[in-house]
PDB file of all heavy atoms in Angstrom:
ATOM      1  N   PRO A 429     117.988 -87.570 -81.072  1.00  0.00           N
ATOM      2  CA  PRO A 429     119.284 -87.047 -81.430  1.00  0.00           C
ATOM      3  C   PRO A 429     120.354 -87.579 -80.499  1.00  0.00           C
ATOM      4  O   PRO A 429     120.263 -87.356 -79.275  1.00  0.00           O
ATOM      5  CB  PRO A 429     119.114 -85.560 -81.299  1.00  0.00           C
ATOM      6  CG  PRO A 429     118.092 -85.392 -80.191  1.00  0.00           C
ATOM      7  CD  PRO A 429     117.198 -86.634 -80.175  1.00  0.00           C
ATOM      8  N   TRP A 430     121.331 -88.287 -81.028  1.00  0.00           N
ATOM      9  CA  TRP A 430     122.384 -88.848 -80.168  1.00  0.00           C
ATOM     10  C   TRP A 430     123.682 -87.991 -80.191  1.00  0.00           C
ATOM     11  O   TRP A 430     124.294 -87.845 -79.143  1.00  0.00           O
ATOM     12  CB  TRP A 430     122.695 -90.264 -80.618  1.00  0.00           C
ATOM     13  CG  TRP A 430     121.574 -91.213 -80.363  1.00  0.00           C
ATOM     14  CD1 TRP A 430     120.529 -91.500 -81.242  1.00  0.00           C
ATOM     15  CD2 TRP A 430     121.288 -91.927 -79.166  1.00  0.00           C
ATOM     16  NE1 TRP A 430     119.662 -92.398 -80.613  1.00  0.00           N
ATOM     17  CE2 TRP A 430     120.119 -92.672 -79.375  1.00  0.00           C
ATOM     18  CE3 TRP A 430     121.941 -92.035 -77.924  1.00  0.00           C
ATOM     19  CZ2 TRP A 430     119.553 -93.495 -78.373  1.00  0.00           C
ATOM     20  CZ3 TRP A 430     121.383 -92.831 -76.948  1.00  0.00           C
ATOM     21  CH2 TRP A 430     120.208 -93.530 -77.185  1.00  0.00           C
ATOM     22  N   SER A 431     124.059 -87.457 -81.320  1.00  0.00           N
ATOM     23  CA  SER A 431     125.328 -86.758 -81.409  1.00  0.00           C
ATOM     24  C   SER A 431     125.373 -85.941 -82.691  1.00  0.00           C
ATOM     25  O   SER A 431     124.567 -86.104 -83.574  1.00  0.00           O
ATOM     26  CB  SER A 431     126.493 -87.785 -81.389  1.00  0.00           C
ATOM     27  OG  SER A 431     126.355 -88.638 -82.521  1.00  0.00           O
ATOM     28  N   GLY A 432     126.357 -85.080 -82.756  1.00  0.00           N
ATOM     29  CA  GLY A 432     126.633 -84.360 -84.017  1.00  0.00           C
ATOM     30  C   GLY A 432     125.829 -83.068 -84.104  1.00  0.00           C
ATOM     31  O   GLY A 432     124.949 -82.786 -83.318  1.00  0.00           O
ATOM     32  N   ALA A 433     126.153 -82.321 -85.172  1.00  0.00           N
ATOM     33  CA  ALA A 433     125.602 -80.988 -85.355  1.00  0.00           C
ATOM     34  C   ALA A 433     124.504 -80.924 -86.367  1.00  0.00           C
ATOM     35  O   ALA A 433     123.894 -79.861 -86.621  1.00  0.00           O
ATOM     36  CB  ALA A 433     126.736 -80.046 -85.705  1.00  0.00           C
ATOM     37  N   ALA A 434     124.262 -82.029 -87.105  1.00  0.00           N
ATOM     38  CA  ALA A 434     123.233 -82.001 -88.149  1.00  0.00           C
ATOM     39  C   ALA A 434     122.537 -83.346 -88.225  1.00  0.00           C
ATOM     40  O   ALA A 434     123.086 -84.367 -87.764  1.00  0.00           O
ATOM     41  CB  ALA A 434     123.928 -81.706 -89.479  1.00  0.00           C
ATOM     42  N   ALA A 435     121.315 -83.378 -88.779  1.00  0.00           N
ATOM     43  CA  ALA A 435     120.604 -84.639 -88.953  1.00  0.00           C
ATOM     44  C   ALA A 435     121.482 -85.618 -89.738  1.00  0.00           C
ATOM     45  O   ALA A 435     122.264 -85.165 -90.613  1.00  0.00           O
ATOM     46  CB  ALA A 435     119.308 -84.386 -89.692  1.00  0.00           C
ATOM     47  N   PRO A 436     121.472 -86.903 -89.380  1.00  0.00           N
ATOM     48  CA  PRO A 436     120.552 -87.574 -88.470  1.00  0.00           C
ATOM     49  C   PRO A 436     120.944 -87.586 -87.017  1.00  0.00           C
ATOM     50  O   PRO A 436     120.436 -88.333 -86.219  1.00  0.00           O
ATOM     51  CB  PRO A 436     120.507 -89.014 -89.040  1.00  0.00           C
ATOM     52  CG  PRO A 436     121.953 -89.203 -89.553  1.00  0.00           C
ATOM     53  CD  PRO A 436     122.346 -87.858 -90.126  1.00  0.00           C
ATOM     54  N   PHE A 437     121.899 -86.722 -86.612  1.00  0.00           N
ATOM     55  CA  PHE A 437     122.302 -86.607 -85.241  1.00  0.00           C
ATOM     56  C   PHE A 437     122.615 -87.935 -84.583  1.00  0.00           C
ATOM     57  O   PHE A 437     122.194 -88.236 -83.434  1.00  0.00           O
ATOM     58  CB  PHE A 437     121.170 -85.906 -84.414  1.00  0.00           C
ATOM     59  CG  PHE A 437     120.881 -84.495 -84.842  1.00  0.00           C
ATOM     60  CD1 PHE A 437     119.676 -84.198 -85.478  1.00  0.00           C
ATOM     61  CD2 PHE A 437     121.823 -83.475 -84.632  1.00  0.00           C
ATOM     62  CE1 PHE A 437     119.410 -82.888 -85.879  1.00  0.00           C
ATOM     63  CE2 PHE A 437     121.543 -82.161 -85.074  1.00  0.00           C
ATOM     64  CZ  PHE A 437     120.331 -81.886 -85.693  1.00  0.00           C
ATOM     65  N   GLY A 438     123.325 -88.789 -85.326  1.00  0.00           N
ATOM     66  CA  GLY A 438     123.771 -90.067 -84.763  1.00  0.00           C
ATOM     67  C   GLY A 438     122.664 -91.107 -84.640  1.00  0.00           C
ATOM     68  O   GLY A 438     122.881 -92.209 -84.201  1.00  0.00           O
ATOM     69  N   PHE A 439     121.416 -90.716 -85.040  1.00  0.00           N
ATOM     70  CA  PHE A 439     120.337 -91.689 -84.985  1.00  0.00           C
ATOM     71  C   PHE A 439     120.595 -92.858 -85.924  1.00  0.00           C
ATOM     72  O   PHE A 439     120.417 -94.018 -85.614  1.00  0.00           O
ATOM     73  CB  PHE A 439     119.004 -91.007 -85.339  1.00  0.00           C
ATOM     74  CG  PHE A 439     117.845 -91.969 -85.598  1.00  0.00           C
ATOM     75  CD1 PHE A 439     117.272 -92.652 -84.526  1.00  0.00           C
ATOM     76  CD2 PHE A 439     117.318 -92.221 -86.889  1.00  0.00           C
ATOM     77  CE1 PHE A 439     116.261 -93.560 -84.727  1.00  0.00           C
ATOM     78  CE2 PHE A 439     116.331 -93.134 -87.114  1.00  0.00           C
ATOM     79  CZ  PHE A 439     115.738 -93.758 -86.041  1.00  0.00           C
ATOM     80  N   SER A 440     121.071 -92.495 -87.172  1.00  0.00           N
ATOM     81  CA  SER A 440     121.490 -93.539 -88.129  1.00  0.00           C
ATOM     82  C   SER A 440     122.996 -93.468 -88.198  1.00  0.00           C
ATOM     83  O   SER A 440     123.632 -92.426 -87.902  1.00  0.00           O
ATOM     84  CB  SER A 440     120.890 -93.196 -89.516  1.00  0.00           C
ATOM     85  OG  SER A 440     119.505 -93.175 -89.453  1.00  0.00           O
ATOM     86  N   PRO A 441     123.630 -94.590 -88.634  1.00  0.00           N
ATOM     87  CA  PRO A 441     125.057 -94.577 -88.766  1.00  0.00           C
ATOM     88  C   PRO A 441     125.541 -93.610 -89.838  1.00  0.00           C
ATOM     89  O   PRO A 441     124.805 -93.258 -90.719  1.00  0.00           O
ATOM     90  CB  PRO A 441     125.396 -95.993 -89.161  1.00  0.00           C
ATOM     91  CG  PRO A 441     124.139 -96.643 -89.583  1.00  0.00           C
ATOM     92  CD  PRO A 441     123.002 -95.837 -89.007  1.00  0.00           C
ATOM     93  N   ALA A 442     126.842 -93.199 -89.779  1.00  0.00           N
ATOM     94  CA  ALA A 442     127.406 -92.297 -90.741  1.00  0.00           C
ATOM     95  C   ALA A 442     127.224 -92.950 -92.124  1.00  0.00           C
ATOM     96  O   ALA A 442     127.399 -94.131 -92.300  1.00  0.00           O
ATOM     97  CB  ALA A 442     128.866 -92.060 -90.410  1.00  0.00           C
ATOM     98  N   GLY A 443     126.937 -92.115 -93.070  1.00  0.00           N
ATOM     99  CA  GLY A 443     126.799 -92.635 -94.456  1.00  0.00           C
ATOM    100  C   GLY A 443     125.507 -93.451 -94.704  1.00  0.00           C
ATOM    101  O   GLY A 443     125.422 -94.163 -95.688  1.00  0.00           O
ATOM    102  N   ALA A 444     124.552 -93.325 -93.834  1.00  0.00           N
ATOM    103  CA  ALA A 444     123.272 -94.101 -93.932  1.00  0.00           C
ATOM    104  C   ALA A 444     122.622 -93.822 -95.291  1.00  0.00           C
ATOM    105  O   ALA A 444     122.652 -92.743 -95.799  1.00  0.00           O
ATOM    106  CB  ALA A 444     122.309 -93.714 -92.806  1.00  0.00           C
ATOM    107  N   ALA A 445     122.003 -94.890 -95.830  1.00  0.00           N
ATOM    108  CA  ALA A 445     121.359 -94.763 -97.143  1.00  0.00           C
ATOM    109  C   ALA A 445     120.125 -93.848 -97.113  1.00  0.00           C
ATOM    110  O   ALA A 445     119.848 -93.143 -98.053  1.00  0.00           O
ATOM    111  CB  ALA A 445     121.002 -96.136 -97.665  1.00  0.00           C
ATOM    112  N   GLU A 446     119.421 -93.922 -95.987  1.00  0.00           N
ATOM    113  CA  GLU A 446     118.130 -93.216 -95.930  1.00  0.00           C
ATOM    114  C   GLU A 446     118.177 -92.157 -94.825  1.00  0.00           C
ATOM    115  O   GLU A 446     118.847 -92.292 -93.832  1.00  0.00           O
ATOM    116  CB  GLU A 446     117.010 -94.188 -95.602  1.00  0.00           C
ATOM    117  CG  GLU A 446     116.832 -95.275 -96.626  1.00  0.00           C
ATOM    118  CD  GLU A 446     116.218 -94.788 -97.918  1.00  0.00           C
ATOM    119  OE1 GLU A 446     115.571 -93.731 -97.945  1.00  0.00           O
ATOM    120  OE2 GLU A 446     116.409 -95.509 -98.966  1.00  0.00           O
TER     121      GLU A 446
END
Side-chain angles (χ1 to χ4, degrees):
W430 292 92
S431 59
F437 298 110
F439 169 71
S440 298
E446 300 288 338

